[in-house]
Amino acid sequence: VYKSGFGDCKGLSNYMLAMLKAIGIPSYYTEISTVQNRFFKDYMNVSQTNHVILQVPLENDTLWLECTNPKLPFGYIHQDIAGHDALLIKEDGGEVCQLPTYPDSLNTQNTKATVILNPDGGAVVNVEQRSYLFQYETEQSFTLLTPDKQKEYLNRSIRLNKANVKDIQYKESKEAEPFIDVNYTITSEQYGSKTGNRLFIPVNPFRDRATISRKTRVHDIYINYGYVDTDQITIRIPDDYDVESLPKPAIIINEFGYYLSLFEAEGNEIKIIHTLSFKKGKYPKDKYDSFTEFNKVISNKYSEKIILRKKG
């Protein structure tokens, strides 16, 4: 590994083990699977694994090192191995253990947006978004894109007509519990659609849920990791418009997670809060209708409109 300057997970983990050993820090070569989270413990064998990491036991904690991907933060346990069984290779034999994982409630993405709406339905939108842990990991590739590709990436995630993304800034925090901030501005000639003396405004252009049309389910339902999305959107409406209609608030709680929406109009501002949480887990296939209905309801809620009426 030293001579060639590269190696696979086995070679790189062994290399790190040797370097730590040279300075008196014990560590253990660790077999793990990035596909299956549990071993067949009554028939242990390395054919159940496809990856190698390193365990470093500390006095009051345990450090897990992903030696193959240098872009991951030090001490962070990524989604492909978090919570999985692992086989430690020690001097006196193998030992099966389980890696820790993060609570669903910490895998968050928080979006704050201020919409300055024009009388013709155009708008300028200032967006601040922070993604933690597994959601950080999903967004981390953003830092590797060119500015043009970053713009394309953000444009694809916005459900707006004639939208243009500009002034993109990001900051990555590579702590043990990492996060990434992405701030940008959207200009749109058609944030709202105008019909006569009314404007129809989307409640949330940042979210959507796919509706699933299959009528039968062969396998159980798996939610690989739980998460929480929270959106806080403030819309500043033009002085010559009043709020005619707001969507009704909603709270939906079931075994898969929960959804919350709140709306408040005061003066020339409308404040919107959306929260969506899914829980990690395996759900029987006979719950498929409930699962698809939950997704359908959420999709409809994210697609709701605010109606503004011109004064006079």
Side-chain angles (χ1 to χ4, degrees):
V1 170
Y2 174 76
K3 288 180 180 179
S4 65
F6 69 91
D8 63 6
C9 59
K10 301 178 289 295
L12 292 167
S13 296
N14 263 318
Y15 187 40
M16 177 61 75
L17 185 151
M19 289 192 293
L20 290 174
K21 183 178 180 180
I23 56 174
I25 298 176
S27 63
Y28 299 108
Y29 184 90
T30 304
E31 293 269 357
I32 197 166
S33 172
T34 60
V35 179
Q36 302 295 331
N37 60 352
R38 293 291 171 263
F39 288 154
F40 298 110
K41 295 181 182 178
D42 56 343
Y43 186 64
M44 182 54 58
N45 62 89
V46 294
S47 66
Q48 295 182 61
T49 69
N50 66 349
H51 190 49
V52 173
I53 58 174
L54 205 63
Q55 186 214 57
V56 183
L58 305 176
E59 185 175 353
N60 298 312
D61 199 0
T62 300
L63 185 65
W64 301 95
L65 296 184
E66 173 56 79
C67 303
T68 312
N69 186 348
K71 292 182 174 61
L72 289 173
F74 181 80
Y76 171 66
I77 304 173
H78 59 89
Q79 355 176 344
D80 287 344
I81 59 174
H84 288 205
D85 286 345
L87 177 62
L88 305 182
I89 309 301
K90 295 188 171 183
E91 294 87 349
D92 55 353
E95 177 184 321
V96 176
C97 67
Q98 188 178 121
L99 268 68
T101 189
Y102 305 101
D104 294 348
S105 59
L106 295 184
N107 299 318
T108 61
Q109 185 174 81
N110 304 319
T111 303
K112 294 182 179 180
T114 302
V115 182
I116 304 170
L117 189 65
N118 300 326
D120 62 359
V124 175
V125 187
N126 296 311
V127 185
E128 298 177 1
Q129 187 179 79
R130 174 170 288 188
S131 306
Y132 282 97
L133 297 174
F134 290 170
Q135 298 234 51
Y136 151 84
E137 193 176 337
T138 301
E139 298 292 334
Q140 191 197 30
S141 60
F142 181 85
T143 65
L144 307 176
L145 300 176
T146 63
D148 286 344
K149 292 296 183 181
Q150 289 177 348
K151 184 176 178 179
E152 289 179 16
Y153 178 89
L154 293 172
N155 264 321
R156 286 196 301 269
S157 68
I158 300 164
R159 296 182 296 119
L160 285 176
N161 294 322
K162 300 179 181 179
N164 179 49
V165 173
K166 61 180 183 179
D167 302 331
I168 301 170
Q169 297 180 337
Y170 67 86
K171 180 182 178 182
E172 186 178 6
S173 175
K174 289 197 172 188
E175 303 297 327
E177 294 186 359
F179 63 86
I180 181 170
D181 289 332
V182 180
N183 301 335
Y184 56 97
T185 299
I186 306 167
T187 58
S188 174
E189 298 177 16
Q190 196 177 338
Y191 188 89
S193 58
K194 190 172 183 179
T195 304
N197 60 354
R198 288 180 174 86
L199 277 175
F200 295 82
I201 308 300
V203 296
N204 193 332
F206 305 103
R207 303 288 180 191
D208 195 6
R209 292 296 301 176
T211 54
I212 309 166
S213 59
R214 286 185 61 183
K215 295 182 180 179
T216 58
R217 179 77 184 183
V218 176
H219 301 290
D220 290 334
I221 304 163
Y222 289 84
I223 299 177
N224 290 332
Y225 72 86
Y227 62 88
V228 181
D229 290 336
T230 301
D231 306 309
Q232 300 176 51
I233 302 170
T234 300
I235 303 175
R236 295 177 185 169
I237 66 175
D239 292 335
D240 53 347
Y241 277 87
D242 285 325
V243 177
E244 181 176 271
S245 175
L246 289 175
K248 293 180 180 179
I251 299 177
I252 305 168
I253 303 173
N254 60 30
E255 60 192 304
F256 307 110
Y258 66 86
Y259 168 84
L260 165 72
S261 65
L262 297 172
F263 304 89
E264 180 184 4
E266 184 175 348
N268 70 334
E269 284 193 347
I270 302 169
K271 294 184 179 179
I272 303 163
I273 295 177
H274 282 149
T275 302
L276 173 63
S277 174
F278 271 92
K279 294 188 290 187
K280 176 181 178 178
K282 174 184 174 183
Y283 302 89
K285 62 183 180 181
D286 59 13
K287 298 287 185 180
Y288 186 64
D289 288 345
S290 299
F291 181 72
T292 56
E293 182 61 24
F294 185 42
N295 279 271
K296 181 179 178 180
V297 170
I298 294 167
S299 178
N300 290 338
K301 290 294 181 183
Y302 280 146
S303 300
E304 290 179 323
K305 303 289 185 183
I306 296 167
I307 304 176
L308 305 180
R309 185 183 179 93
K310 196 168 185 178
K311 296 177 182 177

